[in-house]
Amino acid sequence: AASPKPIFLAAGPSEPSNSAVEAIINKGMEPAALVFNNELLPNCAGPASDNECADATLEEVLHMVTDKGYAEAWPATFSPSKTSTLTKAMDVARGGKFTTIPSPYPSSAWYTYN
C-alpha cells in the first residue's frame, strides 16, 4: 500500500477535532504541519516580522520537511526521538532538556522559544 501523503493543514483558530483528523487520514492523507488562521500573517513575514507580529508559515513548512522528509530519510540525525543528533543539539542550545518552556531559560541557552 502507498504511504499516506503529507499535507499542510490550515485548520482554523484552534486544534482540529479528532474526527476531522481521522477524516483526513481516511482519505489517504496525513496532517504534517498545523497552521492556524491566526498564524497566517503575510504582512508580518520575513523582515517584516517582529516580537509582536510574525507569520508562522515558514516555521510550519520546515517542520513538515524535517518530520516527513529528513527524519524519515535520516532518523538517527533528524528524528524527534530523544536520542537523535538534532534533539541532543536542541537540548544543548536551550541549556537543557525541558518538557515545558522554562521561564527564564538557563543563562547557558543560546536559543530560546516563547
Side-chain angles (χ1 to χ4, degrees):
S3 297
K5 299 190 178 15
I7 63 165
F8 189 64
L9 181 63
S14 62
E15 193 80 21
S17 67
N18 287 339
S19 61
V21 172
E22 287 175 21
I24 291 167
I25 293 169
N26 288 338
K27 293 290 184 182
M29 297 175 279
E30 179 181 352
L34 298 174
V35 177
F36 304 118
N37 290 340
N38 64 344
E39 297 177 308
L40 298 171
L41 305 169
N43 292 334
C44 300
S49 72
D50 59 30
N51 287 337
E52 302 299 319
C53 186
D55 182 271
T57 305
L58 180 58
E59 175 191 354
E60 296 305 331
V61 168
L62 291 173
H63 282 304
M64 184 171 58
V65 169
T66 301
D67 294 346
K68 303 301 176 189
Y70 297 145
E72 291 186 13
W74 301 287
T77 302
F78 292 107
S79 80
S81 75
K82 295 176 184 177
T83 59
S84 76
T85 304
L86 177 63
T87 300
K88 290 177 183 177
M90 289 303 299
D91 290 343
V92 170
R94 287 186 297 257
K97 179 176 246 358
F98 306 102
T99 56
T100 60
I101 298 172
S103 180
Y105 276 89
S107 60
S108 61
W110 53 270
Y111 170 83
T112 61
Y113 185 86
N114 308 22

XYZ file of all heavy atoms in Angstrom:
841
model
N 0.840 -1.187 0.000
C 0.000 0.000 0.000
C 0.876 1.239 0.000
O 1.956 1.245 0.583
C -0.906 -0.006 1.214
N 0.401 2.268 -0.629
C 1.137 3.523 -0.691
C 1.106 4.213 0.665
O 0.149 4.087 1.421
C 0.528 4.428 -1.753
N 2.168 4.939 0.965
C 2.225 5.711 2.211
C 1.272 6.888 2.122
O 1.048 7.433 1.041
C 3.639 6.236 2.440
O 4.527 5.172 2.588
N 0.699 7.302 3.274
C -0.148 8.497 3.249
C 0.652 9.704 2.766
O 1.847 9.803 3.010
C -0.562 8.672 4.714
C -0.278 7.383 5.376
C 0.813 6.728 4.591
N 0.001 10.596 2.076
C 0.653 11.792 1.570
C 0.523 12.901 2.602
O -0.571 13.196 3.062
C 0.019 12.204 0.258
C 0.180 11.100 -0.780
C -0.212 11.547 -2.146
C -0.016 10.491 -3.187
N 0.182 9.145 -2.831
N 1.670 13.505 3.006
C 1.568 14.584 3.986
C 0.904 15.815 3.382
O 1.057 16.101 2.197
C 3.015 14.880 4.361
C 3.851 14.251 3.324
C 3.027 13.209 2.635
N 0.137 16.494 4.194
C -0.496 17.735 3.750
C -0.184 18.840 4.750
O 0.084 18.592 5.917
C -2.021 17.593 3.585
C -2.693 17.261 4.915
C -2.361 16.592 2.524
C -4.180 17.451 4.895
N -0.217 20.036 4.268
C -0.036 21.229 5.078
C -1.434 21.705 5.420
O -2.235 21.962 4.532
C 0.735 22.252 4.239
C 1.180 23.458 4.979
C 2.096 23.348 6.005
C 0.722 24.707 4.627
C 2.543 24.460 6.678
C 1.156 25.829 5.285
C 2.076 25.705 6.319
N -1.768 21.786 6.690
C -3.141 21.984 7.093
C -3.346 23.318 7.792
O -2.743 23.580 8.823
C -3.544 20.848 8.043
C -4.955 20.833 8.586
C -5.958 20.676 7.460
C -5.107 19.686 9.568
N -4.167 24.165 7.209
C -4.621 25.385 7.884
C -5.956 25.030 8.517
O -6.965 24.901 7.840
C -4.763 26.530 6.894
N -5.951 24.836 9.810
C -7.091 24.227 10.481
C -8.101 25.205 11.041
O -9.153 24.790 11.474
C -6.578 23.345 11.614
N -7.815 26.453 11.068
C -8.721 27.404 11.690
C -8.126 27.955 12.962
O -6.925 27.884 13.171
N -8.952 28.478 13.845
C -8.425 29.173 15.019
C -7.948 28.260 16.138
O -7.374 28.731 17.105
C -9.609 30.022 15.474
C -10.807 29.271 15.003
C -10.393 28.625 13.711
N -8.184 26.948 16.042
C -7.765 26.055 17.118
C -7.452 24.672 16.568
O -7.650 24.391 15.391
C -8.861 25.965 18.172
O -10.028 25.415 17.605
N -6.973 23.811 17.441
C -6.621 22.436 17.083
C -7.821 21.744 16.438
O -8.948 21.868 16.919
C -6.230 21.705 18.371
C -5.559 20.386 18.176
C -4.088 20.497 17.834
O -3.459 21.511 18.113
O -3.581 19.530 17.263
N -7.615 21.002 15.332
C -8.745 20.299 14.709
C -9.232 19.169 15.619
O -8.470 18.627 16.411
C -8.154 19.752 13.417
C -6.701 19.663 13.673
C -6.361 20.763 14.632
N -10.494 18.817 15.484
C -11.055 17.722 16.277
C -10.438 16.402 15.833
O -9.921 16.275 14.720
C -12.570 17.669 16.093
O -12.864 17.297 14.755
N -10.510 15.401 16.717
C -10.017 14.073 16.365
C -10.743 13.532 15.144
O -10.139 12.884 14.291
C -10.165 13.117 17.542
C -9.177 13.396 18.644
O -8.145 14.023 18.422
N -9.487 12.957 19.842
N -12.057 13.802 15.047
C -12.815 13.287 13.903
C -12.369 13.963 12.603
O -12.342 13.315 11.554
C -14.318 13.466 14.122
O -14.653 14.824 14.262
N -11.999 15.236 12.657
C -11.515 15.920 11.452
C -10.184 15.327 11.009
O -9.958 15.085 9.817
C -11.377 17.421 11.709
N -9.300 15.061 11.951
C -8.007 14.455 11.617
C -8.220 13.052 11.064
O -7.607 12.660 10.066
C -7.071 14.450 12.845
C -5.807 13.650 12.561
C -6.713 15.880 13.258
N -9.108 12.273 11.687
C -9.394 10.921 11.200
C -9.955 10.950 9.783
O -9.608 10.107 8.952
C -10.374 10.219 12.137
C -9.747 9.809 13.449
C -10.767 9.225 14.420
O -11.847 8.772 13.987
O -10.468 9.238 15.633
N -10.818 11.924 9.475
C -11.387 12.036 8.130
C -10.286 12.314 7.108
O -10.300 11.754 6.004
C -12.436 13.143 8.097
N -9.334 13.141 7.466
C -8.206 13.434 6.570
C -7.384 12.166 6.340
O -7.038 11.831 5.210
C -7.339 14.565 7.158
C -8.115 15.890 7.108
C -6.006 14.685 6.430
C -7.492 16.992 7.930
N -7.071 11.448 7.413
C -6.279 10.216 7.309
C -7.035 9.166 6.491
O -6.437 8.473 5.653
C -5.915 9.695 8.713
C -4.951 10.679 9.380
C -5.324 8.295 8.642
C -4.716 10.429 10.858
N -8.344 9.061 6.687
C -9.150 8.086 5.933
C -9.163 8.385 4.438
O -9.443 7.495 3.635
C -10.578 8.034 6.477
C -10.636 7.354 7.831
O -9.752 6.585 8.201
N -11.683 7.654 8.585
N -8.872 9.604 4.045
C -8.792 9.976 2.625
C -7.392 9.721 2.062
O -7.093 10.071 0.924
C -9.152 11.450 2.429
C -10.593 11.762 2.736
C -11.510 11.158 1.687
C -12.941 11.560 1.934
N -13.863 10.972 0.998
N -6.501 9.116 2.878
C -5.166 8.773 2.395
C -4.148 9.885 2.556
O -3.085 9.850 1.943
N -4.469 10.864 3.386
C -3.528 11.969 3.635
C -3.129 11.954 5.103
O -3.741 11.273 5.922
C -4.175 13.300 3.270
C -4.509 13.405 1.796
S -5.395 14.911 1.396
C -7.059 14.464 1.864
N -2.090 12.692 5.418
C -1.609 12.756 6.788
C -1.315 14.202 7.155
O -0.520 14.858 6.490
C -0.339 11.920 6.935
C 0.241 11.944 8.311
C 1.503 11.131 8.426
O 1.871 10.414 7.474
O 2.143 11.229 9.460
N -1.945 14.713 8.219
C -1.617 16.079 8.643
C -0.147 16.135 9.068
O 0.276 15.405 9.945
C -2.534 16.316 9.841
C -3.586 15.272 9.758
C -2.975 14.110 9.037
N 0.627 16.968 8.418
C 2.057 17.038 8.685
C 2.453 18.304 9.410
O 3.456 18.329 10.101
C 2.831 16.937 7.368
N 1.717 19.366 9.249
C 2.017 20.629 9.917
C 0.709 21.395 10.071
O -0.029 21.551 9.118
C 3.017 21.442 9.096
N 0.462 21.831 11.275
C -0.755 22.582 11.533
C -0.444 24.068 11.614
O 0.439 24.482 12.355
C -1.400 22.134 12.846
C -1.850 20.683 12.908
C -2.334 20.336 14.310
C -2.947 20.423 11.901
N -1.146 24.848 10.839
C -1.044 26.302 10.908
C -2.455 26.815 11.109
O -3.355 26.484 10.346
C -0.443 26.917 9.627
C -0.424 28.427 9.725
C 0.955 26.398 9.386
N -2.637 27.590 12.132
C -3.954 28.136 12.411
C -4.105 29.461 11.690
O -3.137 30.161 11.412
C -4.147 28.278 13.915
C -3.933 26.968 14.634
C -2.929 26.830 15.565
C -4.721 25.873 14.336
C -2.720 25.616 16.203
C -4.525 24.657 14.970
C -3.524 24.523 15.909
N -5.342 29.794 11.357
C -5.597 31.017 10.584
C -4.970 32.247 11.221
O -4.470 33.126 10.523
C -7.100 31.219 10.389
C -7.690 30.188 9.442
O -6.980 29.568 8.657
N -8.986 29.998 9.531
N -4.967 32.313 12.556
C -4.401 33.487 13.211
C -2.872 33.506 13.165
O -2.255 34.473 13.620
C -4.901 33.604 14.651
C -4.465 32.458 15.530
O -4.035 31.412 15.053
N -4.606 32.634 16.829
N -2.252 32.457 12.623
C -0.799 32.423 12.440
C -0.389 32.773 11.012
O 0.792 32.919 10.728
C -0.247 31.033 12.772
C -0.437 30.622 14.202
C 0.062 29.223 14.450
O -0.344 28.288 13.714
O 0.882 29.055 15.367
N -1.344 32.844 10.103
C -1.068 33.168 8.705
C -1.111 34.684 8.550
O -2.164 35.279 8.368
C -2.083 32.498 7.791
C -2.091 30.968 7.844
C -3.281 30.418 7.083
C -0.792 30.403 7.330
N 0.051 35.295 8.675
C 0.157 36.754 8.687
C 1.179 37.207 7.641
O 2.300 37.589 7.968
C 0.578 37.234 10.086
C -0.311 36.767 11.239
C 0.335 37.068 12.574
C -1.684 37.400 11.130
N 0.809 37.175 6.360
C 1.776 37.515 5.319
C 2.350 38.923 5.448
O 3.490 39.160 5.021
C 0.984 37.350 4.022
C -0.441 37.313 4.411
C -0.508 36.835 5.825
N 1.628 39.848 6.064
C 2.178 41.194 6.253
C 3.261 41.228 7.322
O 3.934 42.244 7.494
C 1.070 42.188 6.625
C 0.114 42.411 5.475
O 0.469 42.249 4.308
N -1.115 42.757 5.798
N 3.429 40.114 8.030
C 4.430 40.027 9.091
C 5.473 38.950 8.775
O 6.080 38.379 9.669
C 3.751 39.712 10.418
S 2.542 40.938 10.920
N 5.649 38.635 7.507
C 6.585 37.595 7.099
C 7.977 38.178 6.871
O 8.137 39.363 6.569
C 6.094 36.918 5.822
N 8.979 37.318 7.004
C 10.363 37.710 6.705
C 10.810 38.923 7.487
O 10.602 38.990 8.703
N 11.412 39.892 6.801
C 11.949 41.062 7.512
C 10.872 41.937 8.142
O 11.179 42.791 8.961
C 12.719 41.828 6.426
C 12.207 41.306 5.135
C 11.697 39.921 5.376
N 9.607 41.721 7.800
C 8.523 42.499 8.403
C 8.091 41.939 9.761
O 7.279 42.539 10.445
C 7.320 42.549 7.466
N 8.649 40.792 10.170
C 8.239 40.203 11.449
C 8.965 40.877 12.609
O 10.047 41.434 12.452
C 8.508 38.700 11.457
O 9.885 38.440 11.543
N 8.317 40.816 13.760
C 8.922 41.306 14.990
C 8.323 40.511 16.146
O 7.601 39.549 15.929
C 8.714 42.821 15.160
C 7.248 43.223 15.186
O 6.395 42.416 15.638
O 6.945 44.350 14.769
N 8.610 40.911 17.379
C 8.111 40.166 18.536
C 6.596 40.223 18.672
O 6.007 39.406 19.365
C 8.764 40.679 19.819
C 10.204 40.257 19.912
O 10.625 39.285 19.301
N 10.982 40.999 20.671
N 5.962 41.169 18.046
C 4.510 41.327 18.152
C 3.753 40.700 16.983
O 2.562 40.425 17.087
C 4.152 42.816 18.238
C 4.810 43.539 19.399
C 4.400 42.965 20.751
O 3.211 42.649 20.918
O 5.275 42.821 21.618
N 4.415 40.517 15.840
C 3.731 40.058 14.640
C 4.686 39.195 13.816
O 5.721 39.683 13.345
C 3.272 41.276 13.830
S 2.257 40.850 12.403
N 4.349 37.920 13.661
C 5.198 37.018 12.875
C 4.322 35.976 12.179
O 3.407 35.427 12.784
C 6.227 36.336 13.763
N 4.597 35.719 10.920
C 3.896 34.706 10.148
C 4.535 33.343 10.439
O 5.761 33.218 10.399
C 4.006 35.031 8.654
C 3.251 34.026 7.817
O 3.846 33.010 7.431
O 2.069 34.276 7.554
N 3.736 32.323 10.742
C 4.246 31.003 11.124
C 4.408 30.047 9.941
O 4.836 28.914 10.128
C 3.319 30.382 12.156
N 4.104 30.480 8.730
C 4.107 29.575 7.584
C 5.456 28.905 7.374
O 5.539 27.676 7.246
C 3.676 30.322 6.311
O 2.410 30.941 6.551
C 3.562 29.374 5.135
N 6.536 29.668 7.332
C 7.853 29.084 7.083
C 8.229 28.086 8.168
O 8.732 26.999 7.878
C 8.926 30.175 6.964
C 10.342 29.683 6.693
C 10.410 28.864 5.411
C 11.304 30.857 6.628
N 7.967 28.433 9.428
C 8.266 27.512 10.525
C 7.538 26.193 10.323
O 8.129 25.117 10.459
C 7.868 28.127 11.862
C 8.040 27.162 13.021
C 7.426 27.642 14.313
O 6.936 28.789 14.390
O 7.416 26.843 15.266
N 6.257 26.248 9.986
C 5.481 25.022 9.825
C 5.900 24.233 8.593
O 5.911 23.000 8.616
C 3.988 25.330 9.814
C 3.488 25.917 11.123
C 3.792 25.062 12.353
O 3.894 23.831 12.240
O 3.914 25.646 13.448
N 6.270 24.903 7.524
C 6.785 24.204 6.342
C 8.076 23.470 6.706
O 8.281 22.313 6.322
C 7.006 25.171 5.159
C 7.807 24.518 4.047
C 5.664 25.661 4.625
N 8.941 24.125 7.474
C 10.195 23.472 7.882
C 9.924 22.278 8.793
O 10.636 21.267 8.718
C 11.130 24.476 8.549
C 11.692 25.520 7.592
C 12.481 26.576 8.354
C 12.548 24.890 6.509
N 8.895 22.365 9.666
C 8.510 21.192 10.471
C 8.115 20.041 9.550
O 8.525 18.894 9.760
C 7.319 21.512 11.382
C 7.656 22.280 12.604
N 8.592 21.875 13.524
C 7.157 23.447 13.067
C 8.656 22.744 14.500
N 7.799 23.732 14.246
N 7.329 20.331 8.523
C 6.880 19.293 7.607
C 8.062 18.671 6.860
O 8.172 17.448 6.758
C 5.860 19.848 6.615
C 5.290 18.789 5.695
S 3.900 19.358 4.683
C 4.595 20.724 3.804
N 8.969 19.505 6.360
C 10.142 18.997 5.634
C 11.008 18.142 6.557
O 11.473 17.067 6.179
C 10.955 20.165 5.025
C 12.301 19.706 4.516
C 10.158 20.849 3.928
N 11.193 18.604 7.782
C 12.020 17.854 8.729
C 11.346 16.556 9.146
O 11.938 15.481 9.065
C 12.329 18.720 9.967
O 13.003 19.899 9.553
C 13.213 17.976 10.952
N 10.069 16.639 9.578
C 9.370 15.453 10.101
C 9.069 14.408 9.038
O 9.179 13.211 9.294
C 8.054 15.861 10.767
C 8.262 16.694 12.020
O 9.393 16.739 12.537
O 7.280 17.304 12.469
N 8.661 14.843 7.848
C 8.233 13.900 6.815
C 9.289 13.667 5.744
O 9.112 12.810 4.886
C 6.941 14.396 6.139
C 5.811 14.613 7.112
C 5.484 13.339 7.855
C 4.409 13.581 8.891
N 4.209 12.433 9.759
N 10.368 14.406 5.786
C 11.441 14.244 4.805
C 12.730 13.790 5.476
O 13.067 12.609 5.486
N 13.430 14.737 6.067
C 14.729 14.442 6.678
C 14.647 13.354 7.742
O 15.482 12.449 7.770
C 15.335 15.693 7.309
C 15.644 16.814 6.342
C 15.493 18.136 6.736
C 16.092 16.574 5.052
C 15.782 19.181 5.866
C 16.374 17.605 4.183
C 16.219 18.908 4.598
O 16.497 19.942 3.748
N 13.661 13.436 8.641
C 13.576 12.469 9.738
C 13.326 11.055 9.240
O 13.820 10.093 9.826
C 12.482 12.876 10.725
N 12.575 10.930 8.154
C 12.331 9.589 7.617
C 13.530 9.075 6.832
O 13.798 7.879 6.818
C 11.059 9.584 6.775
C 9.832 9.775 7.647
C 8.521 9.643 6.919
O 8.501 9.165 5.767
O 7.496 10.019 7.522
N 14.270 9.983 6.194
C 15.451 9.564 5.430
C 16.643 9.292 6.339
O 17.413 8.361 6.092
C 15.804 10.638 4.401
N 16.810 10.113 7.375
C 17.962 10.008 8.283
C 17.490 10.100 9.728
O 17.749 11.086 10.431
C 18.971 11.123 7.987
C 19.493 11.096 6.595
C 20.381 10.204 6.054
C 19.159 12.008 5.542
N 20.615 10.510 4.741
C 19.879 11.619 4.392
C 18.321 13.123 5.445
C 19.786 12.296 3.183
C 18.216 13.794 4.249
C 18.952 13.382 3.142
N 16.801 9.064 10.241
C 16.207 9.147 11.576
C 17.219 9.337 12.707
O 16.910 10.028 13.683
C 15.449 7.825 11.721
C 15.987 6.928 10.668
C 16.512 7.800 9.579
N 18.385 8.773 12.615
C 19.364 8.930 13.699
C 19.798 10.388 13.851
O 20.147 10.828 14.942
C 20.591 8.043 13.447
N 19.725 11.134 12.774
C 20.147 12.536 12.804
C 18.977 13.481 13.055
O 19.077 14.388 13.882
C 20.836 12.907 11.474
O 21.943 12.038 11.288
C 21.318 14.346 11.488
N 17.857 13.295 12.362
C 16.793 14.306 12.354
C 15.487 13.926 13.035
O 14.580 14.758 13.085
C 16.477 14.716 10.910
C 17.579 15.474 10.252
C 18.357 14.877 9.277
C 17.838 16.793 10.597
C 19.381 15.581 8.661
C 18.859 17.503 9.991
C 19.632 16.896 9.018
N 15.330 12.721 13.547
C 14.040 12.353 14.127
C 13.800 13.120 15.431
O 14.743 13.591 16.068
C 13.972 10.852 14.388
O 14.645 10.532 15.590
N 12.526 13.238 15.836
C 12.238 13.908 17.107
C 12.489 13.023 18.329
O 12.180 13.420 19.448
C 10.748 14.270 16.982
C 10.202 13.279 16.023
C 11.316 12.934 15.079
N 13.083 11.848 18.127
C 13.345 10.961 19.261
C 14.349 11.596 20.218
O 15.123 12.482 19.852
C 13.887 9.620 18.773
O 15.236 9.762 18.369
N 14.358 11.124 21.444
C 15.241 11.672 22.477
C 16.715 11.462 22.161
O 17.574 12.143 22.716
C 14.920 11.031 23.826
C 13.548 11.359 24.347
C 13.267 10.615 25.638
C 11.846 10.894 26.077
N 11.500 10.142 27.275
N 17.020 10.511 21.275
C 18.416 10.171 21.025
C 18.977 10.708 19.709
O 20.148 10.497 19.415
C 18.595 8.635 21.048
O 17.747 8.067 20.039
C 18.211 8.062 22.409
N 18.159 11.410 18.916
C 18.672 11.888 17.628
C 19.677 13.021 17.830
O 19.666 13.727 18.841
C 17.534 12.370 16.721
O 17.066 13.647 17.137
N 20.530 13.195 16.857
C 21.525 14.261 16.902
C 20.857 15.621 17.002
O 21.290 16.486 17.773
C 22.414 14.193 15.637
O 22.997 12.887 15.561
C 23.503 15.243 15.665
N 19.776 15.830 16.251
C 19.065 17.106 16.277
C 18.490 17.397 17.658
O 18.639 18.503 18.188
C 17.950 17.115 15.231
C 17.077 18.369 15.193
C 17.905 19.591 14.830
C 15.940 18.184 14.202
N 17.832 16.409 18.275
C 17.247 16.606 19.603
C 18.315 16.920 20.630
O 18.166 17.842 21.441
C 16.438 15.368 20.027
O 15.396 15.156 19.073
C 15.836 15.534 21.402
N 19.418 16.200 20.590
C 20.513 16.466 21.530
C 21.087 17.865 21.326
O 21.378 18.580 22.291
C 21.603 15.409 21.378
C 21.188 14.040 21.880
C 22.293 13.034 21.634
C 21.898 11.641 22.043
N 22.951 10.663 21.740
N 21.231 18.287 20.065
C 21.753 19.631 19.777
C 20.789 20.710 20.276
O 21.216 21.741 20.815
C 22.007 19.787 18.279
N 19.480 20.491 20.095
C 18.497 21.466 20.574
C 18.515 21.561 22.103
O 18.363 22.655 22.660
C 17.095 21.114 20.083
C 16.892 21.327 18.591
S 17.228 23.016 18.051
C 16.042 23.934 18.994
N 18.716 20.441 22.787
C 18.813 20.475 24.247
C 20.013 21.305 24.692
O 19.928 22.086 25.640
C 18.909 19.057 24.817
C 17.613 18.279 24.677
O 16.560 18.901 24.445
O 17.669 17.036 24.791
N 21.126 21.177 23.995
C 22.305 21.991 24.308
C 22.004 23.461 24.051
O 22.292 24.332 24.879
C 23.530 21.530 23.482
C 24.689 22.517 23.624
C 23.963 20.136 23.907
N 21.385 23.763 22.909
C 21.102 25.152 22.543
C 20.152 25.816 23.545
O 20.292 27.000 23.841
C 20.506 25.214 21.136
N 19.200 25.054 24.070
C 18.238 25.600 25.038
C 18.786 25.619 26.460
O 18.135 26.110 27.368
C 16.946 24.774 25.022
C 16.092 24.993 23.807
C 14.766 24.244 23.945
N 14.964 22.808 24.020
C 14.756 21.967 23.016
N 14.316 22.412 21.864
N 14.963 20.687 23.156
N 19.958 25.037 26.673
C 20.529 24.993 28.022
C 19.990 23.861 28.864
O 20.096 23.867 30.079
N 19.406 22.843 28.224
C 18.888 21.682 28.943
C 17.693 21.068 28.239
O 17.238 21.570 27.217
N 17.206 19.951 28.791
C 16.026 19.267 28.260
C 14.844 19.683 29.119
O 14.904 19.611 30.342
C 16.219 17.756 28.321
C 15.026 16.989 27.802
C 15.292 15.518 27.778
C 15.357 14.875 26.435
N 15.149 15.572 25.252
N 13.774 20.139 28.476
C 12.605 20.632 29.198
C 11.338 20.033 28.606
O 11.241 19.855 27.396
C 12.522 22.167 29.097
C 13.779 22.855 29.530
C 14.669 23.338 28.583
C 14.094 22.986 30.867
C 15.850 23.950 28.965
C 15.271 23.602 31.268
C 16.152 24.091 30.316
N 10.355 19.752 29.459
C 9.058 19.285 28.981
C 8.075 20.451 28.870
O 7.032 20.322 28.251
C 8.476 18.198 29.904
O 8.405 18.708 31.239
C 9.355 16.946 29.883
N 8.407 21.573 29.474
C 7.636 22.807 29.335
C 8.633 23.942 29.090
O 9.820 23.821 29.407
C 6.797 23.122 30.591
O 7.676 23.261 31.699
C 5.778 22.023 30.865
N 8.154 25.045 28.546
C 9.042 26.178 28.261
C 9.477 26.800 29.577
O 8.636 27.216 30.383
C 8.329 27.221 27.377
C 7.963 26.599 26.024
C 9.209 28.450 27.188
C 7.086 27.482 25.159
N 10.787 26.847 29.835
C 11.252 27.406 31.102
C 11.142 28.929 31.127
O 11.206 29.592 30.103
C 12.727 26.977 31.151
C 13.117 26.777 29.742
C 11.881 26.350 29.009
N 10.967 29.454 32.318
C 10.928 30.903 32.489
C 11.653 31.241 33.783
O 11.128 30.978 34.863
C 9.489 31.386 32.547
O 9.456 32.782 32.712
N 12.846 31.733 33.693
C 13.593 32.028 32.471
C 14.379 30.804 32.004
O 14.494 29.826 32.726
C 14.550 33.131 32.915
C 14.863 32.767 34.339
C 13.556 32.200 34.892
N 14.905 30.913 30.793
C 15.822 29.891 30.306
C 17.128 29.995 31.094
O 17.471 31.074 31.592
C 16.138 30.119 28.818
C 15.120 29.539 27.868
C 14.022 30.273 27.456
C 15.272 28.255 27.369
C 13.096 29.753 26.571
C 14.358 27.717 26.488
C 13.268 28.471 26.099
O 12.356 27.944 25.227
N 17.897 28.905 31.166
C 19.207 28.986 31.816
C 20.106 29.991 31.085
O 19.945 30.213 29.880
C 19.779 27.577 31.678
C 18.608 26.692 31.398
C 17.580 27.545 30.710
N 21.031 30.576 31.793
C 21.930 31.571 31.181
C 22.792 30.962 30.082
O 23.285 31.670 29.204
C 22.804 32.231 32.243
O 23.585 31.249 32.897
N 22.952 29.639 30.086
C 23.752 28.966 29.062
C 22.997 28.809 27.736
O 23.604 28.453 26.717
C 24.217 27.602 29.551
O 23.093 26.775 29.844
N 21.686 29.072 27.719
C 20.888 28.909 26.496
C 21.251 29.966 25.473
O 21.356 31.139 25.795
C 19.401 29.005 26.829
N 21.484 29.523 24.249
C 21.715 30.484 23.169
C 20.592 30.434 22.134
O 20.564 31.173 21.169
C 23.089 30.310 22.522
C 23.409 28.915 22.046
C 24.016 27.929 22.753
C 23.134 28.384 20.745
N 24.142 26.800 21.977
C 23.602 27.061 20.726
C 22.539 28.890 19.596
C 23.499 26.239 19.617
C 22.430 28.064 18.484
C 22.922 26.760 18.510
N 19.598 29.560 22.394
C 18.374 29.509 21.590
C 17.213 29.446 22.558
O 17.217 28.637 23.495
C 18.366 28.283 20.678
C 17.020 28.070 20.003
C 16.702 28.768 18.859
C 16.073 27.215 20.553
C 15.457 28.604 18.247
C 14.838 27.045 19.944
C 14.536 27.749 18.803
O 13.317 27.590 18.211
N 16.210 30.279 22.361
C 15.002 30.236 23.196
C 13.781 30.283 22.277
O 13.859 30.750 21.144
C 14.959 31.413 24.183
O 14.951 32.632 23.458
C 16.156 31.374 25.131
N 12.679 29.782 22.806
C 11.430 29.754 22.049
C 10.304 30.069 22.998
O 10.090 29.347 23.962
C 11.227 28.391 21.407
C 10.023 28.299 20.511
C 10.123 28.686 19.175
C 8.798 27.869 20.985
C 9.030 28.621 18.335
C 7.693 27.806 20.146
C 7.826 28.188 18.829
O 6.738 28.116 18.007
N 9.616 31.160 22.736
C 8.495 31.520 23.627
C 7.217 31.466 22.838
O 7.116 31.852 21.759
C 8.672 32.922 24.166
C 10.042 33.099 24.776
O 10.967 32.401 24.480
N 10.138 34.059 25.631
